[in-house]
Amino acid sequence: MARRKIFAGNWKMYKKRQEALDLVKGLLAGIADIGEREVVVFPPSPWAKDVADLCRGSQMAVGMQNMHFEQEGAFTGEVSPLMVKDAGCRYILIGHSERRHVFGETDDDVNKKVMTALKNDIEPVICVGELLKEREKGLTEEVLKRQVVKGLAGVSAEQMKNIVIAYEPVWAIGTGKVATPDIADEAHRFIRKVVEGLYDAKTADLVPVLYGGSVKPDNIAGLFAKEHIDGVLVGGASLKVDSFLDIVRVK
Ligand code: PEP
């Protein structure tokens, strides 16, 4: 079985409601003939349901950018997995570097969110990636291994069919400094090896590993050509119809 190819756009805290709807409509018009590729958008939570309603029956799925790990409760300002599901979302971003490094999310939080998502039939896109200082100290593999192992603690081989991993080196996110295709592919290969160690070769072979970090129309081809890069998670370049479509439609 071939690995799924996924092109995801993380809109972060951008786009008012009408802008979000216009962006989705533009994308839907441009992806009718992309074959097996999956497209996913992560709009701001208040618009997730509106975006999901527009995407119903199309090749574009919707996710939220964050949620709490409890089903419900006195957690002011948080979104519960029940609400993510109710809004029509298929995916949830978990452990994005901005959640880890700006909001202090730990590997333990990431793991709790992964388990809650699976319990609620929501597919986690688990983000992992090293800081620049960790790469410079030669700690990249150690950091990736820790984040993958802790993030997946308690996930069964069967549940791995619903997991996507995104390698997003923190030094490449929003900086314009994209990882070279070789650097990214090596990290993806390593992540797959870690998954194989936890499960088996078949599970590792099937898990989609996306690259994220300053992906643009002019660098997507080199990245997507690599054996272990199964798609991308795009921030800035996913905010405009043309640039995201150029990425999604890469040859
Ligand atoms: C991201 O937010 O996940 C991301 C990769 O951002 P950018 O593409 O802007 O670097």
Side-chain angles (χ1 to χ4, degrees):
M1 201 169 26
R3 277 198 293 274
R4 293 154 61 199
K5 304 294 178 201
I6 303 172
F7 293 76
N10 170 20
W11 298 356
K12 309 195 190 198
M13 203 172 71
Y14 296 103
K15 301 292 178 192
K16 291 187 282 182
R17 181 173 179 278
Q18 193 54 52
E19 293 168 337
L21 300 185
D22 290 345
L23 176 52
V24 171
K25 285 179 197 158
L27 294 176
L28 286 170
I31 61 163
D33 59 344
I34 55 165
E36 300 282 276
R37 294 180 185 184
E38 293 177 37
V39 182
V40 186
V41 288
F42 292 91
S45 317
W47 322 138
K49 172 149 187 347
D50 294 329
V51 171
D53 285 347
L54 280 178
C55 291
R56 192 161 303 121
S58 79
Q59 226 167 314
M60 194 152 80
V62 181
M64 277 201 213
Q65 300 170 18
N66 180 42
M67 66 174 194
H68 201 274
F69 48 76
E70 294 290 350
Q71 295 289 88
E72 58 182 2
F75 300 106
T76 301
E78 292 287 329
V79 174
S80 98
L82 301 176
M83 297 163 194
V84 174
K85 196 72 192 159
D86 208 18
C89 292
R90 173 173 168 189
Y91 291 98
I92 183 79
L93 266 191
I94 300 181
H96 187 278
S97 73
E98 286 148 21
R99 299 300 316 171
R100 290 179 190 263
H101 300 295
V102 181
F103 297 97
E105 257 180 38
T106 63
D107 289 323
D108 189 43
D109 295 328
V110 168
N111 181 246
K112 284 184 188 154
K113 291 181 182 197
V114 168
M115 297 314 287
T116 300
L118 292 171
K119 182 171 144 191
N120 287 280
D121 241 342
I122 304 165
E123 299 178 35
V125 177
I126 307 173
C127 303
V128 298
E130 80 286 2
L131 296 162
L132 181 58
K133 63 178 184 229
E134 292 166 335
R135 173 161 284 270
E136 286 172 347
K137 283 189 197 151
L139 297 174
T140 299
E141 293 195 346
E142 191 180 306
V143 170
L144 294 181
K145 183 167 184 187
R146 189 197 73 229
Q147 292 179 342
V148 171
V149 170
K150 292 198 169 177
L152 292 175
V155 175
S156 69
E158 184 59 26
Q159 288 172 317
M160 281 302 291
K161 290 180 186 146
N162 294 321
I163 295 276
V164 176
I165 297 175
Y167 170 59
E168 298 208 304
V170 182
W171 46 270
I173 298 180
T175 59
K177 283 188 209 151
V178 63
T180 64
D182 285 340
I183 287 180
D185 197 51
E186 198 184 309
H188 286 220
R189 194 182 294 269
F190 177 75
I191 288 168
R192 222 178 280 294
K193 214 171 82 186
V194 173
V195 172
E196 181 174 346
L198 290 173
Y199 300 93
D200 50 54
K202 189 167 163 233
T203 304
D205 194 41
L206 284 181
V207 66
V209 185
L210 315 184
Y211 168 78
S214 296
V215 174
K216 304 272 181 284
D218 64 4
N219 58 32
I220 178 68
L223 291 162
F224 191 57
K226 288 292 180 184
E227 183 187 349
H228 291 278
I229 300 182
D230 305 313
V232 282
L233 176 56
V234 186
S238 72
L239 295 172
K240 289 206 173 104
V241 173
D242 289 353
S243 58
F244 193 49
L245 284 181
D246 282 350
I247 291 170
V248 169
R249 303 176 67 90
V250 63
K251 293 270 183 275

